[in-house]
């Protein structure tokens, strides 16, 4: 036989179909699957083949959770890899949960332990970490946040069915993070482990992109979202402003999840229309579903929040104190909590009941330190006219064109919201108008906020600018 010629045995080998010839080798499949996953959980390697019967391969996991997880997230990939290795009609891989573990799991659930504790991949756990302390139950609903709350709740009940995406925006410390963690907690409770919820910050997403570029593992990063994610909750999207590669990646992630009807919720410090350094195609997608804003809470909501927190801490707080706090801490709820915590700590330390006098003494320092600047009608007029690209003179004029009168009404509304000025006082500062004009303007804007997206977005954006001024 000449060199290079195939022997008879070799030729026979070639004619034989590969699936008839080769044995299923789980380690080889697993090795290939691992390469396609961004964060393969370490327990994946403890999965074994329980039985092979003809074409059927049954895998076995140590826990019911792991089996379910593989079934929901990796089985598709495992079978695809198997077909690539052994041919289209080769093997069909399945997985079943082990019964004993399954009853353990039930016990665990009964004891209220979190199923997620069985995850062993720290990275995956980090990507899906959500704060169990932030729930709908302890989120106080008031006029300022009721729309965002209702939309979030609808989504948590039926992910992917109600509004997609939901875009929540507000200034800092007003409850965006609290709301998306509430959605995550609700879904995890209602759907147990049938839906995989990723609750991540845009910063975490960015770090993932950077790491994947660095290590040449972009495919794994993409697979994390394609194979693993049923609900994507992404916090503080403004973080990716000006970051082109991350925006590009997020754009594709968004498209693939959206097409697969997976729920997406995004939070931001601004409405999409005024976001800077963002690709237009992303901004327009943010508006495909529903946009909801959270406003600065009114005194009543702040009082309700104070009372709820006091209840949680099992501390009595007199109404006059909650009313005093609600009226004096004006910027946001995080600061309100800060003041409240100081008050709680002080009262515990001295073992004294909280009184108005104690609060005034403590809060004096806080007010001085944290709100060195005040929002004045002049500032509101200046920022509102700058926002709409007009002069303060026009804003205060008597022009009736909508382009001028609407910004004027918004400025009047904000003057009422952020200053303690009376209607006649505001009227006089707007070129000496009648006080009923201001009453009408405030009512009109209040009405439009829940109906007119452009007005509610503008009010939210100018409020954010004003609030930045007092907290900077
Ligand atoms: P954001 O993400 O908008 O900056 P957070 O969600 O972090 O704000 O809220 C700041 C703090 O205020 C958190 O501790 C949160 O639990 C609390 N908080 C915000 N809104 C509410 C609310 N409606 N009811 C109860 N607590 C709230
Ligand atoms: Mg936040």
């Amino acid at each position: 036989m000449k060199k290079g010629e195939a022997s008879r045995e070799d030729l026979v080998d070639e004619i034989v179909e590969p699936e008839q010839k080769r044995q299923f080798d789980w380690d080889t499949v697993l090795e290939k699957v691992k390469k396609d996953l961004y964060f393969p959980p370490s327990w994946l390697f403890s999965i074994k083949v329980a039985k092979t019967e003809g074409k059927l391969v049954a895998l076995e996991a140590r826990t019911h959770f792991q089996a379910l997880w593989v079934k929901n997230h990796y089985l598709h990939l495992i079978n695809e890899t198997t077909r690539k290795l052994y041919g289209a009609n080769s093997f069909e891989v399945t997985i079943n949960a082990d019964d004993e573990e399954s009853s353990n799991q039930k016990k665990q659930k009964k004891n209220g332990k979190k199923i997620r504790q069985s995850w062993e991949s720290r990275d995956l756990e980090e990507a899906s970490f959500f704060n169990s302390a932030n729930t709908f139950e302890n989120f106080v609903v008031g006029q300022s946040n009721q729309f965002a709350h209702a939309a979030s709740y609808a989504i948590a009940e039926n992910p992917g069915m109600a509004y997609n995406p939901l875009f929540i925006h507000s200034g800092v410390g007003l409850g965006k993070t609290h709301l998306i963690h509430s959605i995550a907690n609700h879904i995890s409770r209602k759907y147990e482990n049938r839906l995989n919820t990723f609750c991540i910050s845009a910063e975490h997403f960015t770090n993932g992109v950077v790491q994947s570029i660095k290590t040449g593992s972009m495919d794994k990063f993409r697979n994390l979202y394609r194979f693993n994610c049923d609900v994507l909750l992404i916090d503080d999207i403004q973080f990716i402003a000006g970051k082109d590669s991350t925006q590009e990646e997020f754009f594709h992630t968004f498209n693939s999840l959206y097409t697969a009807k997976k729920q997406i919720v995004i939070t931001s410090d601004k409405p999409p229309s005024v976001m800077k350094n963002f690709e237009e195609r992303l901004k327009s997608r943010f508006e495909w579903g529903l946009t909801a804003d959270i406003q600065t809470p009114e005194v009543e909501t702040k009082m309700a929040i104070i009372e709820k927190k006091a209840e949680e801490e099992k501390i009595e707080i007199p109404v006059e104190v909650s009313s005093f706090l609600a009226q004096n801490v004006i910027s946001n709820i995080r600061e309100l909590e800060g003041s409240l915590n100081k008050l709680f700590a002080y009262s515990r330390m001295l073992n004294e009941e909280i009184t108005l006098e104690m609060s005034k003494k403590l809060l004096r320092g806080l007010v001085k330190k944290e709100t060195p600047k005040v929002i004045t009608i002049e500032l509101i007029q200046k920022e509102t006219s700058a926002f709409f690209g007009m002069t303060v003179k026009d804003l205060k004029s008597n022009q009736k064109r909508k382009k001028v009168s609407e910004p004027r009404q918004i400025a009047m509304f904000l003057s009422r919201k952020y200053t303690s000025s009376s209607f006649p006082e505001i009227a006089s500062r707007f070129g000496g108008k009648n006080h009923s004009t201001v009453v009408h303007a405030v009512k009109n804007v209040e009405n439009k906020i829940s109906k007119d997206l452009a007005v509610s977005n503008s009010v939210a954006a100018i409020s954010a600018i004003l609030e930045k001024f007092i907290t900077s």
Side-chain angles (χ1 to χ4, degrees):
M1 196 169 67
K2 278 183 209 157
K3 211 176 158 197
E5 250 181 34
S7 71
R8 198 166 168 272
E9 282 80 358
D10 283 345
L11 287 174
V12 170
D13 264 6
E14 265 175 28
I15 307 164
V16 174
E17 288 288 320
E19 58 262 37
Q20 284 169 358
K21 187 188 146 225
R22 292 164 74 181
Q23 288 279 322
F24 179 85
D25 180 34
W26 171 235
D27 288 339
T28 312
V29 175
L30 192 56
E31 200 48 41
K32 283 225 171 319
V33 164
K34 194 180 87 180
K35 288 203 181 102
D36 282 330
L37 292 175
Y38 186 61
F39 289 132
S42 53
W43 52 256
L44 198 60
F45 303 96
S46 66
I47 291 192
K48 304 236 165 346
V49 174
K51 216 165 41 178
T52 322
E53 247 180 51
K55 281 183 173 183
L56 283 183
V57 178
L59 299 177
E60 185 183 73
R62 272 203 250 144
T63 68
H64 179 67
F65 168 77
Q66 291 172 356
L68 212 58
W69 186 268
V70 169
K71 204 172 190 168
N72 287 341
H73 304 289
Y74 304 138
L75 206 54
H76 174 72
L77 182 63
I78 291 171
N79 273 307
E80 205 170 280
T81 310
T82 304
R83 284 194 287 275
K84 273 190 204 150
L85 278 170
Y86 300 103
N89 267 322
S90 53
F91 299 100
E92 177 70 34
V93 185
T94 59
I95 186 157
N96 265 321
D98 164 306
D99 282 334
E100 200 188 323
E101 284 294 336
S102 177
S103 61
N104 272 347
Q105 181 90 22
K106 276 183 206 134
K107 257 184 252 155
Q108 262 199 8
K109 263 190 251 161
K110 227 172 159 185
N111 296 339
K113 276 192 199 154
K114 285 195 90 184
I115 299 157
R116 286 176 184 276
Q117 279 164 359
S118 60
W119 291 13
E120 285 166 35
S121 162
R122 213 179 304 140
D123 282 336
L124 189 57
E125 197 157 8
E126 193 192 331
S128 319
F129 171 78
F130 36 86
N131 186 350
S132 58
N134 287 340
T135 60
F136 284 123
E137 287 77 31
N138 60 18
F139 187 85
V140 175
V141 184
Q143 205 189 329
S144 57
N145 59 26
Q146 64 185 12
F147 188 55
H149 170 268
S152 302
Y153 192 79
I155 272 165
E157 278 282 296
N158 291 307
M161 309 288 280
Y163 323 99
N164 207 13
L166 170 65
F167 191 97
I168 306 173
H169 64 92
S170 79
V172 291
L174 293 181
K176 297 182 294 294
T177 302
H178 190 134
L179 268 184
I180 63 164
H181 284 250
S182 304
I183 298 177
N185 281 309
H186 191 90
I187 293 178
S188 135
R189 235 179 298 150
K190 181 166 175 182
Y191 293 87
E192 296 183 340
N193 43 14
R194 277 174 288 140
L195 286 182
N196 190 26
T197 307
F198 275 23
C199 189
I200 58 169
S201 63
E203 186 178 359
H204 183 94
F205 187 86
T206 308
N207 291 343
V209 173
V210 173
Q211 281 302 320
S212 317
I213 294 174
K214 232 163 68 188
T215 55
S217 54
M218 209 59 209
D219 281 351
K220 289 188 187 178
F221 182 81
R222 288 179 186 140
N223 279 341
L224 176 70
Y225 292 95
R226 304 236 171 109
F227 290 108
N228 279 341
C229 184
D230 296 311
V231 179
L232 177 65
L233 309 165
I234 185 154
D235 205 6
D236 290 325
I237 198 73
Q238 73 274 7
F239 187 84
I240 69 169
K243 298 186 173 73
D244 295 346
S245 305
T246 309
Q247 284 191 28
E248 171 81 19
E249 197 47 45
F250 188 67
F251 175 75
H252 294 296
T253 302
F254 183 101
N255 287 347
S256 86
L257 292 178
Y258 184 86
T259 316
K261 295 202 165 39
K262 307 269 165 116
Q263 181 69 52
I264 305 164
V265 182
I266 301 161
T267 77
S268 165
D269 65 347
K270 285 181 205 73
S273 55
V274 296
M275 283 166 81
K276 293 214 174 83
N277 300 323
F278 262 86
E279 288 181 36
E280 277 310 316
R281 58 181 189 169
L282 258 183
K283 288 207 277 187
S284 75
R285 271 164 180 75
F286 292 164
E287 286 178 329
W288 275 359
L290 184 75
T291 306
D293 70 329
I294 307 177
Q295 308 262 326
T296 318
E298 335 66 62
V299 171
E300 292 80 358
T301 311
K302 282 195 264 183
M303 282 177 74
I305 291 172
I306 294 167
E307 274 150 31
K308 183 113 190 163
K309 307 267 172 204
E311 217 178 275
E312 280 166 13
E313 294 281 328
K314 299 194 173 46
I315 285 187
E316 287 269 326
I317 188 154
V319 178
E320 49 181 13
V321 173
S322 59
S323 151
F324 173 76
L325 276 173
Q327 290 185 49
N328 284 283
V329 183
I330 54 165
S331 45
N332 66 50
I333 299 172
R334 190 170 298 137
E335 275 170 19
L336 190 66
E337 277 184 350
S339 321
L340 206 54
N341 286 340
K342 280 195 186 167
L343 205 54
F344 290 160
Y346 191 79
S347 130
R348 280 206 182 105
M349 207 164 63
L350 300 182
N351 202 15
E352 275 178 24
E353 281 188 2
I354 294 174
T355 60
L356 185 60
E357 204 186 331
M358 179 199 283
S359 317
K360 277 187 175 165
K361 204 166 114 197
L362 269 179
L363 201 65
R364 211 172 35 225
L366 284 172
V367 169
K368 252 195 227 144
K369 217 166 59 229
E370 288 173 6
T371 55
K373 298 168 187 164
V374 281
I375 298 176
T376 58
I377 295 181
E378 280 69 34
L379 180 73
I380 294 169
Q381 290 171 336
K382 188 173 140 250
E383 293 300 340
T384 308
S385 44
F387 182 84
F388 288 103
M390 58 199 285
T391 61
V392 174
K393 196 167 160 233
D394 276 347
L395 189 84
K396 294 202 249 176
S397 72
N398 287 326
Q399 291 184 49
K400 296 226 170 359
R401 284 182 300 136
K402 192 177 170 201
K403 247 178 107 179
V404 182
S405 67
E406 198 163 83
R408 181 186 306 127
Q409 293 198 334
I410 288 176
M412 287 175 169
F413 167 82
L414 292 171
S415 301
R416 191 67 188 158
K417 181 173 165 189
Y418 285 109
T419 73
S420 51
S421 310
S422 63
F423 287 120
E425 233 173 300
I426 298 170
S428 78
R429 306 284 278 282
F430 276 80
K433 298 193 169 48
N434 194 302
H435 89 275
S436 62
T437 310
V438 185
V439 174
H440 169 74
V442 172
K443 265 204 192 123
N444 201 18
V445 175
E446 265 169 6
N447 253 331
K448 282 186 180 168
I449 281 175
S450 55
K451 291 182 204 123
D452 185 331
L453 202 58
V455 170
S456 86
N457 282 348
S458 308
V459 169
I462 304 167
S463 298
I465 296 167
L466 294 170
E467 279 158 27
K468 225 176 201 152
F469 176 83
I470 46 170
T471 50
S472 61

